[in-house]
Amino acid sequence: MAKMPERAKISVLSRRSLLISAAAAALSPLLAYAASRDTQTPERSKEFEEAFASLTGGAKPVAHDIAVDLPELADNGNFVPITITVESPMTDADHVKTIHILSTLNPRAHVATFQLSPINAVARIQSRMRLAKTQDVVVLAELSTGEMLMSTTHVKVTIGGCGD
Amino acid sequence: MAARNPRFRLPKNAKVGDVIEVKTLIMHPMETGNRHDKYGKLIPRDIITTFVAKYDGSQVFRAEFGTGISANPYVSFKMRVPGPGVFEFAWTDEHGIKTVATAPLILI
């Protein structure tokens, strides 16, 4: 009879440790998910990487003379106003030819392409875009000189656009 | 769904040589093809893919839209007024259906 309490104690301990490990196992995906949401370098879709590579042709775009105005926090991802201004003389020799908007995490990476010419005089366009979730928006501007400009803007999205 | 009610805003007191802003909008759902209706059926993709602005017959601006552009696509762009002329705005959806609006630019 002296052995009974000892055996009971062992069984209680093992059940407790079992419960703890079960709880930890259930929580770990949640913790990993929470950690991934907080990372400073957000993930980018494969489609974005492909679209980016095909537009830049492997060249490294420079981040100057291009201003992208997007809200820091978008309440509604269905309607996110975007204003793009490129500092350019817009002459025959030196003007903005095309502006591309790429999303890093929408179901489709290519959002829009705009074609400009010297008659525009000022390289400034406005539109409204969809954002499925919090992500970076990448804007590329192709100049007639062959140079490629880039701007990356992080937008936090409260309610995502792009459907389900 | 067909595009309807194309709208645009042109300045009322532009002069030759001025840089003006042209704002355009058209009513269209820009269905992404990712949404489901209330019975769980996928709603097919239906978007406007191209917008072209011409002034006196020559292209001054062109936009290609993907599904990432909001419903009722709005676009604005700048232009230096070369002289009196007529704008032609044309929106084309992915089935090739074209909606055209024209307007003269009134100069002072």
Side-chain angles (χ1 to χ4, degrees):
Chain A
M1 289 303 285
K3 276 181 183 170
M4 262 305 275
E6 208 178 315
R7 281 180 68 185
K9 195 178 163 193
I10 287 162
S11 103
V12 165
L13 272 176
S14 67
R15 191 174 67 170
R16 183 175 297 163
S17 63
L18 187 75
L19 281 170
I20 289 166
S21 60
L27 274 172
S28 61
L30 280 174
L31 291 169
Y33 178 65
S36 76
R37 277 176 71 101
D38 291 342
T39 47
Q40 285 301 304
T41 49
E43 72 235 78
R44 293 172 172 208
S45 70
K46 192 166 165 274
E47 204 197 308
F48 167 81
E49 299 290 1
E50 284 167 9
F52 185 81
S54 82
L55 286 173
T56 57
K60 210 168 158 57
V62 284
H64 68 77
D65 292 345
I66 178 164
V68 175
D69 190 17
L70 272 162
E72 233 173 88
L73 179 84
D75 286 334
N76 183 352
N78 280 309
F79 289 91
V80 186
I82 178 167
T83 305
I84 301 164
T85 313
V86 184
E87 290 295 329
S88 165
M90 293 303 274
T91 57
D92 285 332
D94 183 2
H95 61 268
V96 181
K97 276 166 65 186
T98 42
I99 295 173
H100 305 277
I101 306 176
L102 295 176
S103 101
T104 50
L105 285 176
N106 275 3
R108 286 278 165 271
H110 176 254
V111 175
T113 296
F114 305 96
Q115 280 179 25
L116 305 177
S117 58
I119 194 164
N120 297 113
V122 174
R124 182 171 188 273
I125 61 115
Q126 270 183 313
S127 193
R128 291 181 206 135
M129 66 182 293
R130 289 179 169 130
L131 287 172
K133 53 178 126 170
T134 297
Q135 61 179 291
D136 283 350
V137 174
V138 174
V139 174
L140 291 167
E142 259 178 89
L143 307 186
S144 60
T145 56
E147 208 180 351
M148 180 84 94
L149 313 179
M150 179 171 82
S151 161
T152 307
T153 315
H154 189 67
V155 185
K156 288 196 177 94
V157 179
T158 317
I159 302 167
C162 293
D164 301 333
Chain B
M1 191 188 276
R4 60 195 166 82
N5 197 7
R7 283 190 271 168
F8 46 84
R9 177 163 291 187
L10 305 173
K12 290 189 174 68
N13 47 9
K15 298 188 293 289
V16 174
D18 279 1
V19 177
I20 60 165
E21 183 174 40
V22 180
K23 297 178 172 184
T24 69
L25 179 81
I26 193 162
M27 304 308 272
H28 191 279
M30 294 295 278
E31 209 44 79
T32 59
N34 301 327
R35 294 196 317 136
H36 297 80
D37 64 14
K38 59 184 173 179
Y39 307 110
K41 209 174 136 234
L42 200 66
I43 305 171
R45 193 181 108 143
D46 180 12
I47 63 167
I48 287 177
T49 51
T50 322
F51 166 74
V52 176
K54 287 180 179 173
Y55 192 68
D56 267 2
S58 54
Q59 180 180 308
V60 291
F61 182 76
R62 181 186 167 93
E64 275 150 41
F65 300 141
T67 51
I69 287 292
S70 303
N72 308 333
Y74 161 81
V75 172
S76 90
F77 62 92
K78 299 272 192 179
M79 189 190 87
R80 175 164 280 138
V81 180
V86 178
F87 274 109
E88 184 198 279
F89 305 115
W91 293 261
T92 311
D93 73 9
E94 57 190 327
H95 310 296
I97 299 167
K98 202 168 163 183
T99 308
V100 181
T102 56
L105 181 65
I106 310 295
L107 302 177
I108 53 167

